[in-house]
Amino acid sequence: MTTELLPSPAPVEAPQPRPRIFSGIQPSGIVHLGNDLGAIRNYVMLQWEYEAIYCIVDYHALTSTHDPAVMRQRTREMAASLLALGLDPERCTLFVQSHRPEHAELMWLLTTVTPVSWLERTPTYKEKKQNQPDDINHGLLTYPVLQAADIAIYKAGLVPVGKDQAAHLEISREIVRAFNNRYGVTFPEAEAVYTEAPVVLGTDGVRKMSKSVGNTIEILGSPDEICKQVMSMVTDTKRILRTDPGRPEVCNVCQMHRFFGDDWEEIQDGERTARTGCVDTKKLLAARIIEHYAPARERYAELMAHPAEIDGILEAGADRLKPLAQATMDEVRTKMGLR
Ligand code: AMP
Ligand code: TRP
């Protein structure tokens, strides 16, 4: 009798844990083109390669949003926006900051290693102090410590954000460095990850696109609204006549075309040679943005019609993170002599 040898099974490799990333986004109600090009595109891409944790930071938003109904509504809207734009709850963890109270506890502990002078030097804090001197709550000062805690609690090493968060991340690193020096190495110093569009200018072509400035393109808004916002964009201010050659390198509309279509060179050439006018280029951009985000717009409407589904995803996300957050807190409490 012959014994047939079966081919030996291929060695099964233990699944490698994926490196962990974290990012937070304020429940600001609308998602604008700057959010997507500057950060959310990376959230979506990185969820495939990393263990990705994404947080809707309602504690942070309390520094400026004081209406409970508005807070609840915007939190849902932000969750629906992120899911509509491609976050997959099977691939990443999406949750609301206040659903994991460990964030607030770790923040307090980290405040005790943070010199006030670092916080007073934060550019966003200095800006607020100048613009609204009579409305400076303590949360605005402590904001970066909470942000440091958000990242540290999951020991994330990479943080996808837009360039406007560079200073906050620098302070986060300094805070965890101060903690590690005093109590022993506990947290990694997390690095920012930027997209190809780390700073997206608003429709004014001068300032960063931002809801508070009112220069946004609301990608999940109605096609009419998008059209109006794109048509209001400031182009090359030195191009006066339709026949004047344009300077695509300083034209915000032209620069945005880079992300919508594979004919960017041609579009730039059209402006440079005055073959196309600014209005043509804007109309084309509006049409492309509307088309690009059409499926997301549909998914957003569907999700918003089923709020229980959104809430379920957020609750499951917070539950999934509980053991991780609690393990870090146990370690930190022990290191600090609290148990
Ligand atoms: P926020 O709405 O301020 O919580 O921002 C959410 C994310 O979008 C953060 O990672 C920001 O850095 C990013 N972001 C916001 N505005 C812009 C912009 N105009 N250009 C690039 N990234 C941005
Ligand atoms: N400050 C960030 C913003 O305004 C939001 C944020 C809070 C965040 N915690 C974070 C971003 C942790 C990255 C990591 O956009």
Side-chain angles (χ1 to χ4, degrees), residues 22-26 43 57 60 97 143 146-148 150-151 159-161 164-165 168-169:
F22 179 95
S23 195
I25 190 161
Q26 291 214 29
Y43 292 9
V57 293
H60 279 103
Q97 189 181 32
Y143 189 106
L146 180 56
Q147 181 156 349
D150 293 340
I151 305 165
V159 182
V161 276
D164 59 344
Q165 293 301 310
H168 282 150
L169 278 193

Side-chain angles (χ1 to χ4, degrees), residues 32-48:
H32 58 71
L33 192 57
N35 294 139
D36 188 40
L37 296 183
I40 300 171
R41 277 188 180 197
N42 258 356
Y43 292 9
V44 174
M45 220 165 64
L46 297 170
Q47 68 183 335
W48 296 98

Side-chain angles (χ1 to χ4, degrees), residues 31 217-226 229 290 297 300:
V31 181
I217 298 172
E218 294 170 27
I219 50 183
L220 301 181
S222 72
D224 272 358
E225 201 54 45
I226 293 175
Q229 289 166 338
I290 290 166
R297 208 169 301 123
Y300 177 77

Side-chain angles (χ1 to χ4, degrees), residues 96-132:
V96 178
Q97 189 181 32
S98 64
H99 296 183
R100 283 267 47 93
E102 296 85 356
H103 288 239
E105 185 186 356
L106 184 57
M107 183 207 78
W108 172 258
L109 301 179
L110 292 182
T111 61
T112 65
V113 299
T114 308
V116 175
S117 59
W118 292 357
L119 303 175
E120 285 171 336
R121 277 202 304 266
T122 311
T124 39
Y125 176 70
K126 287 204 304 202
E127 220 177 274
K128 297 253 185 215
K129 229 178 134 193
Q130 195 167 4
N131 297 340
Q132 50 187 65

